[in-house]
Amino acid sequence: MNHTAEAPAVWDPAFTDADDCLLSSDQCVIHAQHYFVRGLIEIPVIDSGEVFSWGVWVSLSRENFAAASDLWDTPGRESEKPYFGWLTTELLAYSSTPLNLKTNLHTRPVGQRPFVELEPTDHPLAVEQRTGITPDRVREIAAAVLHPFDEGRP
């Protein structure tokens, strides 16, 4: 019921050994100029009581990244106001790219990934977050993720 991107779309494995780059399970820095946090886009599965989650990366300003990092292990951090960011994960389950959709990153209690709220646009991902998806759509997403280069897929 979830799929997680290992790195932001702009990450290059060549960055791994660079002194000014970092990729951890929760945060990413590229050339000490671009800052990312991993969060969850949660989509209710209609009539199931379950939630499908996309583990995605959101780019943040240097200031918001610093604020989020300073509070990363601080109890009560969920009371912080959301951080504005841009979606920086490619999702092959959508015919139009979700890259650069506007987001608000909501910090949750320590130990929980932040919640990613998409701007309410007509992009299919944003619509699904607002309205939910069917179990059949969950199966379509799984097929797109597990077999991204099958005929008929990007």
Side-chain angles (χ1 to χ4, degrees):
M1 291 296 284
N2 64 62
H3 173 71
T4 299
E6 297 303 315
V10 294
W11 177 260
D12 185 315
F15 299 155
T16 302
D17 295 325
D19 291 338
D20 59 352
C21 296
L22 161 82
L23 177 62
S24 73
S25 61
D26 297 305
Q27 298 178 332
C28 178
V29 177
I30 298 177
H31 300 306
Q33 294 178 11
H34 305 283
Y35 303 89
F36 309 88
V37 172
R38 190 184 324 208
L40 297 174
I41 296 174
E42 296 176 343
I43 303 172
V45 180
I46 298 168
D47 295 331
S48 75
E50 301 211 24
V51 173
F52 178 85
S53 298
W54 286 109
V56 298
W57 293 87
V58 172
S59 68
L60 299 178
S61 67
R62 178 189 309 253
E63 296 78 17
N64 284 345
F65 182 83
S69 295
D70 288 347
L71 296 172
W72 201 256
D73 295 315
T74 304
R77 70 183 189 167
E78 64 274 15
S79 63
E80 276 290 289
K81 66 177 178 54
Y83 302 111
F84 174 79
W86 300 93
L87 187 62
T88 316
T89 301
E90 187 65 73
L91 301 173
L92 298 178
Y94 299 93
S95 58
S96 60
T97 182
L99 286 175
N100 297 317
L101 290 177
K102 292 178 182 179
T103 69
N104 278 308
L105 186 80
H106 298 263
T107 306
R108 292 181 174 168
V110 174
Q112 293 183 30
R113 288 206 193 281
F115 170 70
V116 177
E117 174 191 14
L118 296 171
E119 178 183 44
T121 65
D122 62 353
H123 188 281
L125 177 60
V127 171
E128 288 180 347
Q129 186 179 44
R130 287 192 311 273
T131 64
I133 57 176
T134 64
D136 284 342
R137 176 65 177 138
V138 173
R139 287 187 279 282
E140 288 176 16
I141 290 170
V145 168
L146 296 173
H147 308 286
F149 301 107
D150 285 356
E151 189 175 321
R153 299 203 190 285

